[in-house]
Amino acid sequence: MLLKLKIWRQKRGQKKGSFENYEMDHLSPDMSFLEMLDQLNEDLVGQKKVPVAFDHDCREGICGSCSLVINGNPHGPHAGSAVCQLHLRSFKDKEEIWIEPFRAKAFPVLQDLIVDRSAFDRIIQSGAYVSVNTGQAPEAHSILVEKAKAEEAFSHAACIGCGACVAVCKNASASLFVAAKVSHLALLPQGKVEKKARVLKMVKQMEKEGFGACTNTGACSRACPKEISLHSIARMNREYFKSIF
């Protein structure tokens, strides 16, 4: 199959970039999207041209580093999956595909398709942890957790911090990401001791990083590869208001 690619190119250290056209032929529908970009880069290197810079790591839908906006959709056209899980059979022969980085003030473009998502790291460092000394690992059943609570906490812990929620939000809000981290720990006994300080610190850091406010459009949950529920944002808001009064 043949695909016509329009890829955002931006040199490192520069604030302006533009889309460049590339045509890839003789592609297998069974190739992953990232394998196609690998092939493109091999061709560019063979032509002594600068390859396209893009993030990738595990390629198993776990790490979230393969963050691209494809035809206007963070991570591509399919719900509940990352770019590395996208295959070329999802596109038509001779289709035009627009590929660009996540767009947000708090995610400045470093080069081509790579953005700086260290704002998420600073939010985590501000309070998304349990600081008590637990000593050696306790026996698995020594702290009882209701099954429903454990499953709900795990569903929020599944957040991979890719930033798709920010990229799709018209306000570039990080509320779903922060809410997932707050909810994960607030639901478990180990996280309850610090839950008031945690939500205050994380929300404050989120605002400091320049993320926008949440207006509950629901786009973030739909774009999330792990399909984190909007209920987490409601819980974060409840925890926040209980903590300031």
Side-chain angles (χ1 to χ4, degrees):
M1 64 186 301
L2 181 148
L3 293 174
K4 302 174 183 178
L5 309 179
K6 293 185 176 294
I7 302 178
W8 182 261
R9 302 303 306 266
Q10 183 171 330
K11 292 182 180 180
R12 182 174 291 274
Q14 294 189 4
K15 294 184 177 181
K16 291 185 178 181
S18 61
F19 286 98
E20 292 188 6
N21 299 319
Y22 301 95
E23 195 170 277
M24 297 292 292
D25 201 357
H26 306 296
L27 298 171
S28 168
D30 295 324
M31 291 177 69
S32 74
F33 200 86
L34 295 187
E35 286 174 335
M36 177 190 66
L37 293 180
D38 289 337
Q39 183 60 58
L40 171 62
N41 280 343
E42 286 186 18
D43 294 344
L44 290 174
V45 170
Q47 299 167 19
K48 300 188 184 312
K49 295 181 179 179
V50 179
V52 177
F54 65 96
D55 267 333
H56 62 92
D57 191 9
C58 74
R59 300 202 177 197
E60 295 179 349
I62 297 173
C63 69
S65 62
C66 57
S67 300
L68 304 175
V69 176
I70 300 169
N71 288 343
N73 300 305
H75 288 299
H78 302 311
S81 63
V83 175
C84 58
Q85 298 168 297
L86 178 65
H87 291 80
L88 300 189
R89 54 179 170 267
S90 299
F91 303 95
K92 298 178 182 178
D93 186 34
K94 299 181 182 179
E95 184 173 348
E96 185 176 86
I97 303 176
W98 294 75
I99 309 168
E100 57 188 311
F102 282 0
R103 304 289 190 180
K105 178 182 177 181
F107 289 167
V109 176
L110 295 177
Q111 181 178 344
D112 295 341
L113 304 175
I114 300 176
V115 299
D116 180 0
R117 288 174 290 181
S118 60
F120 272 9
D121 296 331
R122 290 187 290 273
I123 292 173
I124 292 293
Q125 291 164 5
S126 70
Y129 51 81
V130 175
S131 63
V132 295
N133 184 2
T134 58
Q136 294 182 341
E139 199 278 327
H141 298 294
S142 62
I143 300 177
L144 299 180
V145 182
E146 296 176 25
K147 186 174 187 297
K149 292 284 187 184
E151 290 179 347
E152 190 176 2
F154 185 79
S155 71
H156 296 304
C159 170
I160 55 178
C162 65
C165 52
V166 176
V168 76
C169 178
K170 64 179 182 179
N171 305 323
S173 171
S175 291
L176 190 70
F177 166 76
V178 176
K181 303 305 179 183
V182 167
S183 296
H184 162 217
L185 294 173
L187 286 162
L188 297 175
Q190 297 92 332
K192 290 188 180 299
V193 176
E194 299 170 297
K195 69 175 186 176
K196 288 187 176 181
R198 176 183 302 114
V199 70
L200 291 174
K201 289 178 181 177
M202 293 185 71
V203 169
K204 181 180 179 180
Q205 187 65 36
M206 173 176 65
E207 294 173 348
K208 181 180 178 181
E209 296 294 342
F211 292 104
C214 173
T215 49
N216 286 323
T217 63
C220 54
S221 185
R222 291 194 297 271
C224 175
K226 300 303 177 181
E227 300 178 307
I228 305 295
S229 170
L230 281 179
H231 293 304
S232 62
I233 297 179
R235 177 177 289 103
M236 177 184 71
N237 290 337
R238 288 195 301 270
E239 297 289 343
Y240 180 79
F241 287 115
K242 285 191 293 186
S243 298
I244 61 176
F245 293 118

